[in-house]
Amino acid sequence: MRKLFYLLIAFVCSGIVCCTDTKDEYIIKGSTSQSRLDGERVFLVPYGTKAYEDSIGVDSVVIKNGKFEFRGHKGEFLARVTMDKRVRYGTQDLLIVTEPGEITVVIDSISSGKGTPQNDLLQAWKVLKQDHDKVHWNQSQHIKYLREQGDTVYANALADSLRVYNESYLKLIHDLMRTTGPGIAYDLLRQRYGEPE
């Protein structure tokens, strides 16, 4: 009877340990539409200094039938999902946070990630930033051209319009940060855009 009791306790404890382990696990389910990447390695690289990268370690898996998966218990950290240098052309690296839960990643010419609060924040920021950078670059070049042509009146009006556009972009980023709240993604954006008011 005592032996049965100890076996039951051991079974219950092992179940608790298993449940605890999966609770903090990050699962990255990835895919790509580029068939040339089948059989190639995709890497999960901690984002930061070389010493930081070495302290956590780089993980890699092989893409099979356009799919790959990472699982880990290394805690939350900012990481770059990237292909091997030999085959990286035509793909875009992707920043993610290894927070607990299932993260869906697509590696392609335009990569994306979603599924957990911080990764949803990073994806929303990525889309906003791509749109902002395109408009900002085009308008800046147009302003420069106008000034070179001596049309300062129109150049100044366009510069004012661009300033308002940049302020709106900053407000959108701060709104996203407020919605998601503190975390690694928040800290990354705070370093770039400051603390929301």
Side-chain angles (χ1 to χ4, degrees):
M1 184 69 172
R2 186 176 279 179
K3 197 183 249 185
L4 183 61
F5 177 75
Y6 287 124
L7 280 172
L8 184 59
I9 294 290
F11 178 76
V12 169
C13 287
S14 69
I16 290 170
V17 169
C18 287
C19 292
T20 304
D21 285 347
T22 56
K23 185 182 82 168
D24 295 329
E25 183 177 44
Y26 58 84
I27 302 165
I28 301 163
K29 292 195 172 188
S31 64
T32 182
S33 65
Q34 298 187 25
S35 57
R36 69 181 179 84
L37 298 177
D38 264 8
E40 298 292 346
R41 287 205 163 272
V42 58
F43 295 86
L44 184 66
V45 183
Y47 185 77
T49 64
K50 183 67 175 148
Y52 181 70
E53 180 184 309
D54 290 344
S55 71
I56 296 173
V58 174
D59 199 359
S60 71
V61 293
V62 174
I63 296 174
K64 293 178 184 171
N65 298 319
K67 301 201 179 311
F68 60 91
E69 184 175 300
F70 292 97
R71 289 177 174 263
H73 300 276
K74 296 180 180 179
E76 288 187 24
F77 59 93
L78 194 61
R80 191 168 50 98
V81 181
T82 185
M83 295 304 303
D84 184 275
K85 281 188 256 185
R86 297 175 299 103
V87 295
R88 193 174 297 160
Y89 67 89
T91 65
Q92 182 185 53
D93 286 359
L94 182 69
L95 276 182
I96 63 161
V97 175
T98 60
E99 66 183 320
E102 188 172 299
I103 304 154
T104 304
V105 164
V106 176
I107 294 297
D108 219 315
S109 55
I110 296 178
S111 297
S112 63
K114 64 179 182 177
T116 60
Q118 293 190 79
N119 288 296
D120 290 346
L121 170 60
L122 288 178
Q123 180 61 31
W125 168 56
K126 181 178 183 286
V127 170
L128 282 172
K129 186 176 185 316
Q130 285 173 336
D131 292 344
H132 169 267
D133 289 355
K134 190 187 312 177
V135 170
H136 184 83
W137 168 257
N138 290 337
Q139 294 291 61
S140 296
Q141 292 306 301
H142 195 62
I143 291 166
K144 181 180 173 187
Y145 171 78
L146 289 169
R147 288 192 173 137
E148 286 170 356
Q149 301 304 309
D151 190 349
T152 56
V153 173
Y154 187 44
N156 289 341
L158 203 53
D160 286 343
S161 173
L162 184 57
R163 180 183 47 76
V164 170
Y165 176 73
N166 287 335
E167 287 169 358
S168 290
Y169 170 69
L170 181 62
K171 183 182 180 314
L172 284 171
I173 297 297
H174 282 168
D175 288 346
L176 284 171
M177 290 167 68
R178 274 191 220 92
T179 301
T180 305
I184 292 169
Y186 182 99
D187 293 343
L188 174 72
L189 297 184
R190 185 185 59 201
Q191 288 170 3
R192 289 173 175 252
Y193 303 102
E195 193 79 53
E197 294 174 0

